[in-house]
Amino acid sequence: MSAYPHLLSPLTVGPLALKNRVLMGSMHTGLEDRFFHYGKLATYFAERARGGVALIVTGGISPNRSGWLLPAGGTMNTRLDVVHHGRVTRAVRQEGGKIAMQILHAGRYGYHPFQVSASRVKSPINPFTPRAMSERQILSTIDDYGRAARLAREAGYDGVEIMGSEGYLLNQFLCRRVNVRTDAWGGAIEGRMRLPVEVTRAVRRAAGADFLIIYRLSLLDLVEGGNTWDEIVSAAKALEQAGVNLLNTGIGWHEARIPTIVSSVPRAAFRAVTARIKRELSIPVCASNRINTPEVAEDLIAKGDADMVSLARPLLADPDFVVKAQHGKGDEINTCIACNQACLDHTFALKRASCLVNPRACHETELVITRSSRRKTIAVVGAGVAGLAAATTAAQRGHEVTLFEASAEIGGQFRLAAKVPGKEEFQETLRYFEKRLGSTGVRVRLSHRATPSDLNGFDEVIVASGVVPRLPRLPGIEHTKVLSYAQLLSGSVVAGKKVAIIGAGGIGVDVAEFLLHDAGASISAFEAAWGIDPLVRTAGGLQEPAAPERVRELWLLQRKPKKKKMGSGPGRTTGWVHKLALERARVTMWGGVEYLRVDDQGLHLRHEGQHKTLAVDHVIVCAGQQSVRDLVPVDDQGRVRDPRCHVIGGADVAAELDAKRAIKQGVELAARL
Ligand code: FAD
Ligand code: NAP
Ligand code: SF4
């Protein structure tokens, strides 16, 4: 019997018979924005359909120009759009999949001057101020939704998802936060939900009775001026009446200051609100947010909290998620670690999305892994993520690969990262690689520091020997109070109650989190820490966050002047979460520091022109890293002189190294050897 009988059981949703309970949630990849990328988009979706997902939802496609997320964003309003989208739907159908197009009107989240909203209320995350829609504009927008749905049907889509959450236009109309209208489209919930309901009716009229309509409703707005539970239930019931076949869960507006998808959010953290709305409706309900393993998904459906699960980023990480679950290979899934580094961070930087653990995501036509015509012998030095990615990809291609690792375990720096509270998911990547080393037949030599003689006779040598922590030149650096981040995270020493951290980069911030929190917060602890009322008794489901217990007194230090973002680390979409957490824990953050020395008294430094002594128990050094290149044969100019030798990851360049670059370099190199 399958390990996931509920997850893999069929379900009828409106007019569609689905083969299992997995919906691929909508994600903006950047491929939807320019019509010349539709071939790439088709290949990307076809790979997920082949991987067994029952129903795919595309990234947001606007019904008209004012609804664009970005200038020249994907739109469905002309015959040419039907032709382009037809490539996508045909590719999915050929793989036996089903696909719905998401209709998204960004409202005041549109990053362009044509944006409109319920009222002239500017968003804190957008420089443009929207125009309040006139009655005429509202009516023509409703028509535009209808036309988009009709054209989507002509393009071969099985249905549409109406995006009504995350603070986009329909959510803006639904909540007092933005809707301060006094006409029939505002006021009490009956007026505020009129646009979402009329849009749904128009879509049903235009696309016909046998066309799937999903509505993504915000079940927790997590912003002031959001809805209460009674208002959410009223809207959900009215949408069901208007013709919705499947209700999908939306959590939190984009401008909310409560994390909803980053790795520190517990898995399935928002299942309770989905379960609650399900009891109010007779249509199926889909759960979303931080569902990244088949076990979690199975549990949600088996316990009756949801009828389907929406997996979005997990299907970037592994297009074969469902097929692997079906074949009892759940432990071979390349799990999404909720880092946002290659997906959302890229989207916000206007770059094409991809995935840290799967650099092929959204690059399926460009990064192709083929069987090699010649079987080579390949040595890989170092089982950090760069070496692991290179070794397993090369072996998948048919090469004979030997992987040398100096320590007793694989993982390198990434294993240290997994010790940080909120980064426990990183362990899943190491589990995946461990499994894949076995399935691809890599010969692994642990506890073996490779020497030049080990590398003789191989056709190719990949040096992925990574980095070691940099110790700055500072009087007293050898004092027993001083530890590197590696010594601290590996657990060889327990830090005292007062700690100074030298370096406020990504690792400095992580070390602060490590010193402040325990690993693996429960859902209720997460809710209390961030001020979430899961019963949504107050507008937006907000309550006063619990004051964090002060387990240590910390100083986070850097030499650069202090800027607004100090304490946020490198992640664009995750940094604010770290910064808020450190501020709430009252971590002292100083920039413009000059380090003087460490002695029995503590850390001496100059700050704001004054000599200060921090009477700390420990000083943790997070001052960057240095490449390990002792096995790289170089000439006088520092060029690699052995044509067999390839250098990747931290061994290649230590500055601005992260796991995204390390894995990508490993896969790309192995794909061409
Ligand atoms: P390494 O991880 O340094 O691996 C090199 C390996 O080579 C080591 O296992 C070493 O033992 C081995 N080795 C060296 N010499 C030899 C030899 N002669 N023979 C055999 N083996 C040898 N990155 C992100 O992208 N996102 C994050 O959120 C993130 N958080 C982090 C948090 C922390 C606390 C830390 C420490 C790092 C974090 N990173 C993060 C950085 C990321 O982990 C590294 O960039 C990445 O792991 C580097 O991989 P690598 O394979 O190049 O090198
Ligand atoms: P980093 O981000 O470059 O930060 C290094 C810190 O050390 C800086 O604050 C720097 O600030 C300080 N420093 C540098 N040289 C110093 C010296 N000689 N003396 C004292 N201080 C010095 O590097 P990192 O924190 O080691 O992180 C390594 C990599 O891992 C980064 O590239 C990062 O992207 C990645 N990472 C990513 C994440 C993530 O969440 N995405 C998390 C952790 C790590 P001053 O020079 O101003 O003092
Ligand atoms: Fe998940 Fe990170 Fe990949 Fe995004 S980049 S899909 S968050 S693993």
Side-chain angles (χ1 to χ4, degrees), residues 320-388:
D320 294 327
F321 184 104
V322 178
V323 153
K324 286 178 181 173
Q326 274 163 345
H327 292 105
K329 296 182 175 175
D331 59 350
E332 291 184 21
I333 290 173
N334 194 3
T335 305
C336 164
I337 58 172
C339 64
N340 284 357
Q341 282 177 244
C343 51
L344 272 181
D345 282 353
H346 277 207
T347 303
F348 278 84
L350 305 185
K351 293 198 300 202
R352 195 194 309 178
S354 188
C355 173
L356 179 143
V357 299
N358 173 23
R360 288 196 65 249
C362 303
H363 296 73
E364 288 78 7
T365 57
E366 292 134 300
L367 182 50
V368 184
I369 314 293
T370 53
R371 191 98 191 142
S372 169
S373 53
R374 188 186 139 212
R375 184 171 163 84
K376 294 183 183 174
T377 55
I378 300 181
V380 180
V381 180
V385 286
L388 289 166

Side-chain angles (χ1 to χ4, degrees), residues 229-258:
W229 187 250
D230 291 346
E231 291 172 321
I232 293 162
V233 171
S234 302
K237 288 187 166 168
L239 290 164
E240 178 175 8
Q241 282 293 313
V244 168
N245 305 116
L246 173 67
L247 192 95
N248 197 359
T249 300
I251 303 288
W253 289 37
H254 286 317
E255 67 206 58
R257 292 294 88 180
I258 293 177

Side-chain angles (χ1 to χ4, degrees), residues 339 341 345 356 413 417 420 423 426 467 469-474 485 502-511 556-561 566 568-572 574-575 578 591-593 595 621-625 654-659 661:
C339 64
Q341 282 177 244
D345 282 353
L356 179 143
Q413 299 278 306
V420 175
K423 287 194 170 172
F426 284 41
V467 289
R470 180 197 288 136
L471 279 188
R473 267 190 232 134
L474 178 68
Y485 67 81
I502 290 185
I507 292 179
V509 169
D510 276 353
V511 161
L556 183 61
L557 308 167
Q558 68 180 27
R559 297 172 303 177
K560 285 186 285 294
M566 186 180 172
S568 61
R572 205 178 164 118
T574 49
H578 295 300
V593 161
Y595 306 110
V621 179
C622 308
Q625 290 116 0
E656 299 190 6
L657 168 70
D658 62 9
R661 196 230 305 160

Side-chain angles (χ1 to χ4, degrees), residues 162-181:
I162 302 171
M163 180 45 157
S165 66
E166 263 68 7
Y168 290 114
L169 181 76
L170 300 182
N171 210 175
Q172 291 159 25
F173 265 84
L174 205 59
C175 294
R176 291 185 201 277
R177 181 176 181 77
V178 182
N179 188 340
V180 292
R181 301 176 76 100

Side-chain angles (χ1 to χ4, degrees), residues 173-472:
F173 265 84
L174 205 59
C175 294
R176 291 185 201 277
R177 181 176 181 77
V178 182
N179 188 340
V180 292
R181 301 176 76 100
T182 50
D183 63 4
W185 304 93
I189 186 65
E190 290 71 24
R192 300 198 315 268
M193 71 188 186
R194 194 167 156 213
L195 180 61
V197 169
E198 290 304 331
V199 160
T200 305
R201 287 191 184 131
V203 166
R204 178 56 75 214
R205 270 194 310 274
D210 57 345
F211 193 63
L212 174 76
I213 302 182
I214 312 167
Y215 193 97
R216 187 137 187 228
L217 180 68
S218 185
L219 299 185
L220 258 179
D221 292 311
L222 299 180
V223 285
E224 282 170 20
N227 282 333
T228 60
W229 187 250
D230 291 346
E231 291 172 321
I232 293 162
V233 171
S234 302
K237 288 187 166 168
L239 290 164
E240 178 175 8
Q241 282 293 313
V244 168
N245 305 116
L246 173 67
L247 192 95
N248 197 359
T249 300
I251 303 288
W253 289 37
H254 286 317
E255 67 206 58
R257 292 294 88 180
I258 293 177
T260 56
I261 58 167
V262 303
S263 55
S264 55
V265 176
R267 290 175 177 176
F270 304 102
R271 62 188 297 168
V273 281
T274 308
R276 232 173 135 203
I277 203 77
K278 184 167 145 50
R279 291 196 286 274
E280 303 282 349
L281 303 175
S282 51
I283 51 174
V285 170
C286 184
S288 77
N289 288 51
R290 288 290 282 120
I291 303 166
N292 65 340
T293 68
E295 287 74 20
V296 174
E298 171 69 15
D299 187 60
L300 270 158
I301 294 170
K303 296 220 168 89
D305 288 0
D307 302 287
M308 292 191 78
V309 287
S310 168
L311 309 182
R313 296 173 299 167
L315 291 165
L316 282 184
D318 196 334
D320 294 327
F321 184 104
V322 178
V323 153
K324 286 178 181 173
Q326 274 163 345
H327 292 105
K329 296 182 175 175
D331 59 350
E332 291 184 21
I333 290 173
N334 194 3
T335 305
C336 164
I337 58 172
C339 64
N340 284 357
Q341 282 177 244
C343 51
L344 272 181
D345 282 353
H346 277 207
T347 303
F348 278 84
L350 305 185
K351 293 198 300 202
R352 195 194 309 178
S354 188
C355 173
L356 179 143
V357 299
N358 173 23
R360 288 196 65 249
C362 303
H363 296 73
E364 288 78 7
T365 57
E366 292 134 300
L367 182 50
V368 184
I369 314 293
T370 53
R371 191 98 191 142
S372 169
S373 53
R374 188 186 139 212
R375 184 171 163 84
K376 294 183 183 174
T377 55
I378 300 181
V380 180
V381 180
V385 286
L388 289 166
T392 52
T393 308
Q396 178 191 344
R397 297 192 56 223
H399 295 306
E400 189 182 326
V401 181
T402 304
L403 174 62
F404 297 95
E405 170 51 50
S407 67
E409 293 177 305
I410 64 164
Q413 299 278 306
F414 206 79
R415 186 171 286 283
L416 295 176
K419 299 271 168 55
V420 175
K423 287 194 170 172
E424 296 85 355
E425 295 285 5
F426 284 41
Q427 196 57 44
E428 298 288 352
T429 305
L430 298 181
R431 182 262 308 145
Y432 163 77
F433 275 126
E434 189 91 59
K435 201 73 198 161
R436 216 164 125 66
L437 287 171
S439 65
T440 55
V442 174
R443 187 164 161 245
V444 184
R445 297 193 59 189
L446 292 177
S447 306
H448 185 102
R449 180 168 291 278
T451 59
S453 64
D454 286 316
L455 307 177
N456 289 338
F458 286 95
D459 297 326
E460 309 280 356
V461 173
I462 300 176
V463 179
S465 46
V467 289
V468 287
R470 180 197 288 136
L471 279 188

